[in-house]
Amino acid sequence: MSDQTTVRSLTNVLGKRSVRMAMLNTMADLDVNASIARQASWGIRDLDLKDGIFGKAVLDLDDTEAAAVIASARDHGMTVHCLSTSLFFDDVELGEERFRMHHLARIDRAIAIARIMRPRLVRLLAARSSRPRPLGENAIERLDRDHPWLVGMYAEAIDRLHAAGFGSTIENEVHGCVLSTPDEVLALFARLGRRDRLCFTWDVQNLWEQGTFPTVAVYERLRPLIGYYHLKGGRSESVGDGAGEPLVWNCGLADASWPVIELTQRVARDGVSPVMCLNPSHGKRIDGYDYADAAWRDLVYLRGAVAEIG
């Protein structure tokens, strides 16, 4: 579908819908300027900038490059919703000094980039641990015992971003992330407080990959904290919905094993995430599956099924 045809096809779809869509910038095109133009043609007005920006991650841009991106965004009527940094996604077992040097020390650069790009949110990632986790252990309670410095370091980063005029969000990741259950998310945010300046980015598939299958009950527990909703497909091994089974296959939202529409409708109607963000699916690729134009097809699927999404 051409970009011009896309614009015409969306004219009667957007209307007064209240929830806006975003996607990671590389999903629309690997060239950032082409990505911005294409997203604009798809009716997207909110950017989530992560990496692949002139070949760099967002915090590695110099001021001139950051200004060029935001100029392109403004030319297309777009603003930046989130700077998706990778700050704090590191192994806590490597110790406090590593986090102080490689993560907290980069908050000043995050603020400098944010002052150019003016995002609503700056993303921090939940840390991970290479230490095997005993069954049933709450990772946040272990952080209290073994790495009590981490919560204080997050708090300092969040407060510095807030003082500069920017909100923060913490997103759950994979590969040993310390946020793998609702209990752990709730525990970390209880320790941090700061609800006037901090929200949770619920990456649905990441939490599933870490062992918590997405359900309405999971959403209800996390709802008071959610400010940003990340969604991507994914299929379990079983034919059918595969409820409760591990993620195995990479697929689009229309073919996913988790209750995409039910949960997305709840998030939209509750108004907890005014902007929702598409992410590419994890999992093994399926032989013969059509992966072309995956981001566009996910966008069309959501707009057709969730009335609140524009």
Side-chain angles (χ1 to χ4, degrees), residues 33 36 47 49 68-80:
N33 290 315
I36 289 169
L47 288 170
L49 298 172
V69 172
I70 199 62
S72 179
R74 288 171 180 157
D75 286 346
H76 289 86
M78 304 178 79
T79 58
V80 179

Side-chain angles (χ1 to χ4, degrees), residues 37-227:
R38 180 163 293 164
Q39 289 183 66
S41 79
W42 290 348
I44 291 175
R45 295 292 177 264
D46 299 86
L47 288 170
D48 191 307
L49 298 172
K50 179 184 177 184
D51 53 21
I53 306 168
F54 308 127
K56 300 179 180 180
V58 67
L59 290 194
D60 295 329
L61 299 175
D62 62 33
D63 288 0
T64 300
E65 291 165 333
V69 172
I70 199 62
S72 179
R74 288 171 180 157
D75 286 346
H76 289 86
M78 304 178 79
T79 58
V80 179
H81 184 65
C82 188
L83 292 187
S84 285
T85 82
S86 295
L87 292 174
F88 290 92
F89 189 56
D90 209 342
D91 185 359
V92 294
E93 311 308 327
L94 296 175
E96 178 178 1
E97 189 59 26
R98 178 180 176 85
F99 273 73
R100 189 167 300 281
M101 291 178 61
H102 293 275
H103 300 282
L104 190 62
R106 301 198 73 200
I107 292 298
D108 284 343
R109 187 58 192 155
I111 290 170
I113 294 287
R115 283 177 171 152
I116 296 170
M117 292 188 165
R118 309 307 302 179
R120 301 179 191 94
L121 294 172
V122 175
R123 182 191 74 168
L124 311 175
L125 287 175
R128 60 187 178 87
S129 174
S130 59
R131 177 182 176 273
R133 185 183 304 189
L135 185 65
E137 179 185 68
N138 184 307
I140 307 305
E141 292 176 357
R142 191 177 70 78
L143 289 178
D144 291 340
R145 297 191 303 270
D146 297 346
H147 307 288
W149 47 267
L150 182 62
V151 169
M153 206 172 286
Y154 273 117
E156 181 178 343
I158 293 160
D159 289 347
R160 285 165 60 184
L161 287 162
H162 176 72
F166 304 104
S168 298
T169 184
I170 295 177
E171 179 184 349
N172 58 296
E173 254 293 353
V174 291
H175 307 303
C177 175
V178 298
L179 300 182
S180 64
T181 67
D183 284 343
E184 290 170 344
V185 176
L186 293 166
L188 177 62
F189 276 75
R191 285 155 177 75
L192 286 169
R194 294 168 167 76
R195 294 294 293 120
D196 64 325
R197 61 197 68 176
L198 173 67
C199 68
F200 177 51
T201 291
W202 181 28
D203 187 301
V204 175
Q205 191 187 88
N206 284 357
L207 207 63
W208 176 19
E209 197 168 350
Q210 285 282 113
T212 299
F213 187 80
T215 64
V216 170
V218 169
Y219 165 67
E220 289 292 350
R221 294 198 66 201
L222 298 176
R223 180 173 60 173
L225 304 176
I226 297 170

Side-chain angles (χ1 to χ4, degrees), residues 23-24 27-28 42 278 291-301:
M23 63 179 62
L24 295 184
M27 294 178 70
W42 290 348
L278 291 173
Y291 290 99
D293 300 318
W296 165 251
R297 287 188 287 113
D298 280 350
L299 189 63
V300 170
Y301 176 66

